[in-house]
């Protein structure tokens, strides 16, 4: 089957690349487009390391067909922050919310989706928002604290 | 059905490093012409923070700002040998090797500076901010960068150092059976509170209180985070993680993260941590290693708490609902607060 051209908006800029038929969005972003920030953890929806935003909603890129993003907006960690880190990234650093860091891109995108729709979440809402993201290292507590503190700081570029 | 609460305690002596054929780590330190230093290692940072700690240790020993030290762990083909990052040995073994290498490099740095300032190297001190001056005469000064450049371009001198730290193989004395495999112990104690559901066999950890004795906490935030994340993993080992049993047979075993269970962010227990610092005589600036020890006390403490709550002794980990229900059935129901 021939490759299919996909045109979409990645982190605010229009992009076009070829996708293999049936290729998943994670593979497409990493190998077709060269955005290595979404991580491959399990490839089957179990870990959340590949979480990206599709039109602002968190999706598991490993379970999303590349073709599904045609004409739509995809956001990844590569688009977070500008010259300075995003407030969520600042908060993750301040709270030591990453050890090996493999879960961090997925955690950040899940957290961003939460704060975009609910700027002042409760602890329970934060837990709910990251419940699909596995972390082997931190014990989650510093991640929860970081997201709550980013929310409390109110900054939202 | 009823929910039963119990409390369990455990304490551990944790040996730092291991002793199977001796336990060495090596380090190389060299100055670059910009006056910054590279520490070359084969030791690996897998998220525990070894690079940060080694960077602090090298900067402290060299007498330069921590920003001026780069730690390169890129490749075990090009770095000096290390046994590896396990057995909580990184800070202790690698840190000591880095101190030795940095001392050698510092001595040559001071010789290079002495030649430029026309003084005796023994009279020179560093200010930790990138300058070297004559003791008591701060005006007679040279920057680390200028000294490194003089060494490189005028004196033809390498500012470099080699370090190794070795705990030699300890053989068993054939007469007494005695051996000394370990030179340094860390310690931990933990009190855990659980709630056991005698109908479902589920255990919920309600609270953890711990004290960890880690030598000097070289980077207190990293130590605290290691203990927090590690205790979570201990809880996971105590109650969740297993690939057994699988019914009706092994072909139904878990194969991915959706079957291999770990506690999620909704299963956390508050963990109150006290860090006790008793600098180790043979540790780098007194540091030991909080590494694996953070997980260890949780397992026996949880099992003891289950015994306190319902009177059953789980002697195979993890303490899954199935094992608890089977044990309760064999015992004829929950018997809270049995005494040993
Ligand atoms: S890689 Fe997509 S959920 Fe694990
Ligand atoms: S920091 Fe290692 S998996 Fe989360």
């Amino acid at each position: 089957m021939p490759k299919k051209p996909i045109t979409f908006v990645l982190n605010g800029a229009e992009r076009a690349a070829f996708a293999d038929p049936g290729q998943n969005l994670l593979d497409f972003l990493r190998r077709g487009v060269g955005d290595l920030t979404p991580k491959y953890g399990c490839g089957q929806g179990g870990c959340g390391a590949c979480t990206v935003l599709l039109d602002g909603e968190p999706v598991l890129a490993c379970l999303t067909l590349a073709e599904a993003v045609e004409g739509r907006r995809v956001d990844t960690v590569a688009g977070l922050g500008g010259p300075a880190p995003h407030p969520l990234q600042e908060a993750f650093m301040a709270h030591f919310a990453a050890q090996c860091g493999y879960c961090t891109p997925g955690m950040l995108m899940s957290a961003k989706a939460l704060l975009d729709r609910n700027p002042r979440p409760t602890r329970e809402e934060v837990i709910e928002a990251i419940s699909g993201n596995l972390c082997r290292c931190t014990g989650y507590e510093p991640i929860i604290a970081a997201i709550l503190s980013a929310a409390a700081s109110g900054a939202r570029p | 059905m009823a929910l039963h609460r119990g409390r369990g305690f455990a304490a551990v002596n944790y040996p730092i490093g291991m002793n199977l054929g001796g336990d060495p780590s090596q380090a190389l330190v060299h100055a670059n012409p910009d006056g910054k230093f590279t520490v070359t290692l084969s030791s690996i940072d897998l998220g525990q923070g070894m690079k940060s700690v080694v960077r602090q240790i090298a900067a402290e020993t060299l007498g330069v700002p921590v920003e001026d030290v780069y730690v390169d762990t890129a490749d075990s083909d090009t770095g000096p040998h290390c046994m590896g990052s396990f057995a909580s040995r990184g800070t202790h073994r690698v840190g000591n090797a880095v101190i030795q290498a940095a001392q050698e490099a510092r001595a040559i740095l001071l010789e290079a500076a002495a030649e430029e300032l026309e003084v005796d190297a023994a009279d020179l001190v560093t200010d930790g901010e990138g300058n070297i001056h004559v003791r008591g005469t701060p005006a007679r000064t040279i920057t680390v960068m200028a000294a490194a450049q003089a060494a490189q371009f005028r004196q033809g001198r390498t500012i470099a150092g080699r370090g190794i730290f070795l705990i030699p193989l300890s053989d068993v004395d054939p007469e007494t059976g005695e051996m000394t495999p370990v030179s340094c112990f860390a310690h931990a104690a933990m009190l855990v509170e659980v709630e056991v559901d005698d109908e479902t066999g589920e255990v919920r950890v309600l609270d953890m209180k711990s004290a960890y004795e880690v030598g000097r906490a070289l980077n207190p935030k990293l130590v605290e985070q290691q203990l927090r994340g590690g205790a979570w993993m201990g809880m996971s080992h105590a109650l969740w993680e297993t690939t057994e049993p699988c019914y009706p047979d092994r072909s139904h075993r878990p194969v991915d993260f959706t079957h291999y269970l770990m506690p999620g962010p909704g299963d956390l227990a508050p963990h109150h941590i006290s860090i006790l610092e008793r600098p180790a005589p043979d540790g780098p600036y007194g540091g030991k290693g909080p590494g694996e020890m953070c997980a260890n006390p949780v397992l026996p403490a949880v099992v003891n708490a289950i015994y306190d709550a319902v009177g059953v002794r789980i002697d195979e980990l993890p303490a899954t609902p199935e094992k608890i229900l089977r044990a309760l059935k064999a015992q004829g129901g929950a018997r809270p607060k049995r005494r040993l």
Side-chain angles (χ1 to χ4, degrees):
Chain A
M1 279 214 278
K3 288 180 185 284
K4 190 169 189 312
I6 312 267
T7 306
F8 68 114
V9 177
L10 178 62
N11 298 321
E14 187 157 314
R15 295 293 296 262
F18 286 100
D20 287 319
Q23 188 174 23
N24 68 55
L25 178 60
L26 178 60
D27 201 48
F28 174 68
L29 287 172
R30 290 180 59 88
R31 293 207 285 178
V33 180
D35 183 347
L36 298 175
T37 56
K39 301 299 174 200
Y40 179 99
C42 64
Q44 52 187 345
C47 74
C50 64
T51 305
V52 301
L53 305 190
L54 182 54
D55 291 337
E57 286 297 317
V59 298
L60 298 173
C62 71
L63 295 186
T64 304
L65 280 176
E67 292 175 30
V69 308
E70 173 66 41
R72 300 173 73 184
R73 203 178 85 233
V74 175
D75 290 290
T76 69
V77 167
L80 276 195
H86 186 276
L88 271 168
Q89 292 170 313
E90 292 279 10
F92 268 57
M93 287 192 278
H95 289 266
F96 282 60
Q99 286 190 29
C100 79
Y102 205 80
C103 68
T104 312
M107 288 286 184
L108 284 168
M109 296 322 283
S110 292
K112 178 167 165 32
L114 169 70
L115 298 192
D116 284 350
R117 65 166 195 278
N118 177 3
R120 287 296 162 98
T122 62
R123 184 183 161 91
E124 283 61 42
E125 287 166 335
V126 170
I127 287 173
E128 180 66 28
I130 61 167
S131 61
N133 296 79
L134 297 187
C135 176
R136 188 52 158 163
C137 308
T138 62
Y140 296 100
E141 196 60 58
I143 297 174
I144 298 168
I147 297 170
L148 285 171
S149 104
S153 81
R156 187 111 318 107
Chain B
M1 82 133 220
L3 297 171
H4 305 275
R5 285 202 174 194
R7 294 207 295 175
F9 177 77
V12 299
N13 285 336
Y14 184 78
I16 302 298
M18 50 107 231
N19 199 283
L20 304 166
D23 191 9
S25 278
Q26 294 189 34
L28 297 174
V29 172
H30 75 269
N32 303 296
D34 58 1
K36 307 212 193 285
F37 286 81
T38 301
V39 179
T40 309
L41 304 170
S42 294
S43 324
I44 291 301
D45 191 331
L46 18 82
Q48 80 278 41
M50 196 202 61
K51 269 178 137 170
S52 309
V53 168
V54 159
R55 192 179 186 204
Q56 289 173 250
I57 289 172
E60 182 78 20
T61 310
L62 288 162
V64 303
V66 77
E67 308 84 75
D68 290 355
V69 176
Y70 175 73
V71 180
D72 178 5
T73 59
D75 193 335
S76 56
D77 278 345
T78 53
H81 180 258
C82 177
M83 293 296 281
S85 297
F86 57 88
S88 313
R89 63 188 293 291
T91 296
H92 191 264
R93 306 295 200 258
V94 182
N96 273 323
V98 167
I99 288 180
Q100 193 183 69
Q103 281 170 342
E104 187 175 328
R106 175 186 164 92
I108 302 168
L109 170 69
L110 295 185
E111 280 169 28
E115 192 170 320
E116 294 306 299
L117 294 172
E118 297 179 357
V119 295
D120 187 352
D123 294 333
L124 292 176
V125 291
T126 45
D127 68 356
E129 288 168 16
N131 305 297
I132 303 168
H133 62 253
V134 177
R135 186 180 289 105
T137 319
R140 297 206 59 195
T141 182
I142 181 170
T143 61
V144 170
M145 178 163 69
Q149 286 174 345
Q152 167 93 342
F153 296 108
R154 252 198 313 280
Q155 304 172 7
R157 197 196 286 272
T158 54
I159 298 178
R162 303 151 298 168
I164 184 165
F165 185 74
L166 168 66
I167 298 287
L169 173 65
S170 170
D171 275 325
V172 182
D173 183 315
E175 298 300 319
T176 63
E178 196 179 310
M179 68 185 298
T180 315
V182 182
S183 67
C184 181
F185 280 88
H187 308 90
M190 171 153 310
L191 184 64
V192 161
E193 198 171 337
V194 301
E195 190 171 73
V196 183
D197 184 326
D198 68 10
E199 187 177 40
T200 64
E202 278 169 315
V203 178
R204 191 166 173 82
V205 178
L206 302 175
D207 190 73
M208 301 196 279
K209 292 185 180 65
S210 65
Y212 289 97
E213 191 280 296
V214 298
R216 195 187 301 281
L218 298 181
N219 186 319
K221 277 298 239 181
L222 280 182
V223 168
E224 188 196 322
Q225 181 40 41
Q226 178 69 19
L227 298 175
R228 205 167 282 292
W232 169 86
M233 194 185 270
M235 182 170 99
S236 189
H237 290 163
L239 293 169
W240 271 267
E241 290 179 41
T242 182
T243 60
E244 301 280 352
C246 1
Y247 300 111
D249 58 58
R250 287 284 293 157
S251 67
H252 291 255
R253 72 188 185 281
V255 292
D256 58 41
F257 289 137
T258 50
H259 298 121
Y260 186 78
L261 296 183
M262 296 179 276
D267 302 308
L268 306 180
H271 183 186
H272 316 274
I273 301 175
S274 301
I275 295 171
L276 309 178
E277 297 186 87
R278 305 277 184 279
D282 74 343
Y285 299 106
K288 294 179 180 176
E292 289 175 24
M293 171 186 72
C294 44
N296 295 346
V298 188
L299 290 81
V302 164
V303 170
N304 285 339
I306 293 170
Y307 181 79
D308 186 40
V310 291
V312 300
R313 267 273 163 235
I314 303 297
D315 54 13
E316 225 178 282
L317 291 166
T320 55
E322 175 182 346
K323 286 179 198 160
I324 289 176
L325 286 181
R326 285 185 192 281
L328 283 173
K329 194 170 167 198
Q331 183 180 258
R335 284 157 61 187
K337 311 292 170 199
R338 279 171 66 181
R339 293 290 165 236
L340 288 172

